[in-house]
Amino acid sequence: MLPLSLLALALPTEDASVMSAHRQLAENASNNPHGVEIASMILIVVIFVIMVLSMLFLSSCARHGDTKDATGNTKLSSLAHGVSLLLSVVIIGFVAAVLADGRSVIVLKEGELPIVTDPSIVSANLDFLLGRPYGIGAWHDQFGRKWWEHGGVSLNEALAANGAEGTLAALPGLITENGLSHPVPFLDCNELQAVGTTAMVLCFIAIITSFFALLFHSLSLVGMVPAKLVKPVGALLHFLLTVGFLVVVILVSVAYTKEWTCDQPVIPKLTLSESFDLNYAIGFATCGFLGSFINLLLSIFLTSPK
């Protein structure tokens, strides 16, 4: 099956059937759960539980005096572990939401969008090519297509195999199907695809590392981690997270503002900032960086038992 959005090269933006199909696809996409609501509810419940457990534990530590408690941790060390544990849970929830939501990174702007195609071939904007509303998340777009997935062939491959007329002749019926591919692999924007895939991989690494950090601080709170390992292991985990989130913020900023070259003649250049708005993912990544940096400082200066 050929990708859906090539149909825009042959049909005017006033075509009622095309616009109706775009609306239908957008409604279908928005009605499909991507796990954001579930992730948010889990995050709220887990944060509440952790806060209650942390307060109970710190109250218990306070009754043991100002030195070490029964686990070998000082009150400040216990507090640092509790804060780091809570921040790790928040980070896991933030990253999970960004990965689950197919619109978390960028969404099409409102209003009239600029022409992105080569005017010598056709004049079309991304509103018509993709349909509104449309967005892309860290793992997949709002239709569930990941950074490397498209509808069988890319635009360049379809044009090379069938020619423009033959390709367009095969597409009129596809507008009613959920055949619109992720635009980045469909348009053969290979460098942009590499940046997006790298950011996605770093998000998964962040979740895994945060789970290890969660386990580490939980074990440290109950005295099950050797004292000589508390500072170096904690610092290493949160250093990796801090650097990872910083890289993600930089990658998203570069991907959004840079003009990218795509390997096909219809849209040879693409600048996301011209047609898309940044969504909440960049804010979550910044919060992840700040939270990880706070945890790094806590691990270096406060978590070693004395």
Side-chain angles (χ1 to χ4, degrees), residues 86-97:
L86 178 60
L87 288 175
S88 296
V89 172
V90 172
I91 289 172
I92 291 172
F94 277 8
V95 179

Side-chain angles (χ1 to χ4, degrees), residues 216 226-236 298-305:
F216 168 77
K228 63 180 181 180
L229 296 180
V230 171
K231 184 188 292 288
V233 173
L236 175 61
L298 293 175
S299 294
I300 292 175
F301 296 109
L302 296 180
T303 57
S304 292

Side-chain angles (χ1 to χ4, degrees), residues 36-109:
V36 182
E37 296 84 0
I38 296 175
S40 300
M41 290 301 299
I42 292 175
L43 173 62
I44 294 173
V45 172
V46 171
I47 288 178
F48 177 76
V49 172
I50 294 299
M51 288 179 64
V52 172
L53 292 178
S54 298
M55 292 179 64
L56 291 175
F57 187 84
L58 293 177
S59 298
S60 175
C61 290
R63 291 195 295 269
H64 285 82
D66 294 331
T67 57
K68 294 182 180 180
D69 60 19
T71 65
N73 291 303
T74 64
K75 288 172 59 177
L76 274 179
S77 179
S78 297
L79 177 61
H81 284 302
V83 171
S84 294
L85 192 148
L86 178 60
L87 288 175
S88 296
V89 172
V90 172
I91 289 172
I92 291 172
F94 277 8
V95 179
V98 168
L99 287 170
D101 185 7
R103 294 167 51 86
S104 62
V105 179
I106 54 175
V107 292
L108 277 179
K109 292 182 176 181

